[in-house]
């Protein structure tokens, strides 16, 4: 029981006792009520700090319905795309007086469900979310909708949840990358695609296919491999392609990280880069600049997506009019040494 | 007022009304009380979910003093060291039934202060923290100490806050790296050091200096540059060093990211790597493997540090004995192509 005693919350009653004033005076002082003198406010706040009393934002939310906290649920903090998105989210949130708490799902829908519970219990004023690749059912977001807590989604979104959606034109990203390789003279362009259960990767695959078709290049089934984009998947794809009689002379990788592995694996297999094989990745990581040859990429606007998502969310929190759906342009084609004039 | 109405919290009274049973039965059912039949529990839980009632972990904590949430405050989510630490934290926390919420300080002590407030309001059961480079005063952690909420610190720690500390021997890391270059035949070893306001970087600088001294190599002032380790700092250092009559033949970079920039800048300046210049970084990033030449490093065990920090924290939460207040994690020398036998 000693532990429980030690962990007991400090309440305004403790402060009132210490100063020998009424709890309601303490409460008013802590809430900057105009009826209380500045001297009393200062005394109350000093004692509050001394006792370890923190203005309880959660309790405060029960009356004001505000915690000034925005929750963020993202799949993977280690990825540069999400790190940039977080920068955008945090900058805008902070400029508007909001703090940000972040949960990571590790691409697990069960963790996503748990994290929505945590965010709900933390009484966030609003939620910014990018879904896991596994997420199909989105019933775990209903609790926010029912309580009128806005949810903004970016990148991997579900239109079954009301609220602003910020996406990038993934079709265009892949189309641009593929056409870039074709314009350099590539005749046998392959694509390591992501999972077909994700709209992001389906759109990228469509962009790849249409770029081939529009440029009268055949789409050979062995040139389009769908995968989870793990390190092993990327190595397997290189092994399969480099054993074909008609090896690809260009590869579009559906993610930055698979592009780096493809490039390293092809080099290890003795393929001359970029003379015999051009590579471009959808998504840019810092490594892309440092590898030899440096790796061309279509840059995804992570920072801008995070920024837009939280801007729209704050409008929702303030009950202002929002743009329900924003599609950002990818994008920037970053031409580096891995794409080569054939 | 419509908005407020819409955002009203669903309470057990609403569930009781819906089922025409007493609120205390609802409460017992939600808390899995043995006195309530399984059938009633199921009905109550179904209605609770339907109405958007979430078992309020915060309110629950007022009686049980538990939210099963661990808070993490770290400087920079984008860095690979912290991403690895987070993986370790999250794996162990989850295995022990805890959810994790994360705040990022962006190396700003003001944000660190704000984030401790957010974590306090969110009623975390414990806190894992790595301080910002700016943090000197640690009074903002007092609120946790006073309430008996344990705080575990890793990497950048303050001994003024009670609780477990997980650190690495930064002196040894730098000493090992420097001696590695000396053993390869380097005679003019330089160090791009971090800020002297951080114990981590002071320890690294001391390790560098002692390794030179013990091996009878002179420490020339122009070979020891202190900086904030930004991209520009690293480029400036290379420019300064490559314009010296006695150019360094070995460089110890105080961080992974500055090592990568130094390597790229030296290559751009026409320096032959590794024949004319060996480079090693304190801290390892994924890129280190992919660059040419691949970049030697002393690996800092981010994953293990995060794992230990949360293991110790959970013991504190459960009032179990912790192994030791200070845990020292071993470092590892990763020899790659950038360190060359001269």
């Amino acid at each position: 029981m000693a532990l429980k005693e030690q962990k007991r919350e400090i309440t305004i009653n403790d402060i009132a006792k210490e100063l020998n004033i009424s709890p309601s005076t303490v409460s008013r002082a802590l809430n900057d009520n105009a009826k209380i003198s500045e001297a009393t406010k200062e005394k109350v706040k000093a004692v509050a700090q001394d006792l370890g009393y923190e203005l309880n934002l959660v309790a405060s939310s029960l009356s004001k319905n505000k915690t000034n906290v925005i929750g963020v649920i993202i799949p993977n903090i280690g990825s540069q795309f999400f790190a940039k998105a977080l920068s955008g989210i945090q900058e805008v949130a902070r400029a508007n007086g909001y703090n940000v708490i972040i949960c990571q799902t590790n691409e697990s829908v069960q963790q996503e469900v748990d994290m929505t519970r945590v965010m709900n219990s933390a009484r966030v004023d609003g939620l910014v979310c990018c879904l896991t690749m596994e997420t199909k059912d989105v019933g775990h977001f209903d609790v926010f909708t029912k309580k009128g807590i806005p949810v903004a989604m970016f990148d991997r979104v579900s239109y079954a949840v009301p609220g602003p959606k910020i996406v990038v034109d993934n079709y265009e990203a892949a189309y641009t990358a593929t056409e870039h390789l074709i314009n350099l003279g590539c005749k046998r362009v392959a694509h390591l695609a992501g999972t077909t259960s994700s709209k992001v990767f389906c759109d990228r695959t469509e962009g790849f296919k249409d770029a081939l078709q529009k440029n009268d290049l055949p789409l050979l089934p062995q040139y389009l491999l769908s995968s989870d984009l793990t390190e092993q998947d990327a190595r397997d794809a290189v092994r399969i392609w480099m054993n074909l009689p008609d090896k690809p002379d260009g590869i579009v990788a559906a993610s930055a990280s698979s592009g780096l592995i493809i490039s390293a694996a092809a080099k290890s297999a003795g393929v001359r880069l970029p003379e015999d094989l051009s590579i471009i990745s959808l998504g840019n990581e810092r490594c892309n600049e440092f590898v030899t040859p440096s790796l061309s990429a279509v840059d995804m606007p992570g920072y801008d997506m995070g920024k837009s998502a939280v801007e729209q969310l704050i409008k929702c929190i303030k009950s202002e009019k929002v743009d329900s759906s924003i599609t950002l342009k990818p994008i920037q084609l970053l031409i580096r040494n891995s794409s080569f004039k054939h």
Side-chain angles (χ1 to χ4, degrees), chain A residues 139-207:
Chain A
H140 45 296
F141 291 98
D142 289 354
V143 59
F144 300 101
T145 313
K146 281 176 183 161
K147 286 163 75 178
I149 308 235
V151 178
M153 292 195 177
F154 74 99
D155 195 37
R156 303 189 211 138
V157 306
S158 164
Y159 292 92
V161 180
K165 310 278 175 289
I166 317 293
V167 294
V168 67
D169 190 336
N170 285 293
Y171 174 93
E172 192 192 322
Y175 191 100
T176 304
T178 310
E179 195 155 63
H180 168 63
L181 296 189
I182 296 169
N183 289 342
L184 289 171
C186 293
K187 301 278 178 227
R188 299 176 304 281
V189 185
H191 181 41
L192 179 63
T195 170
T196 50
S197 68
S198 157
K199 187 169 178 331
V200 165
F201 291 115
C202 288
D203 288 355
R204 290 181 184 180
T205 302
E206 287 307 301

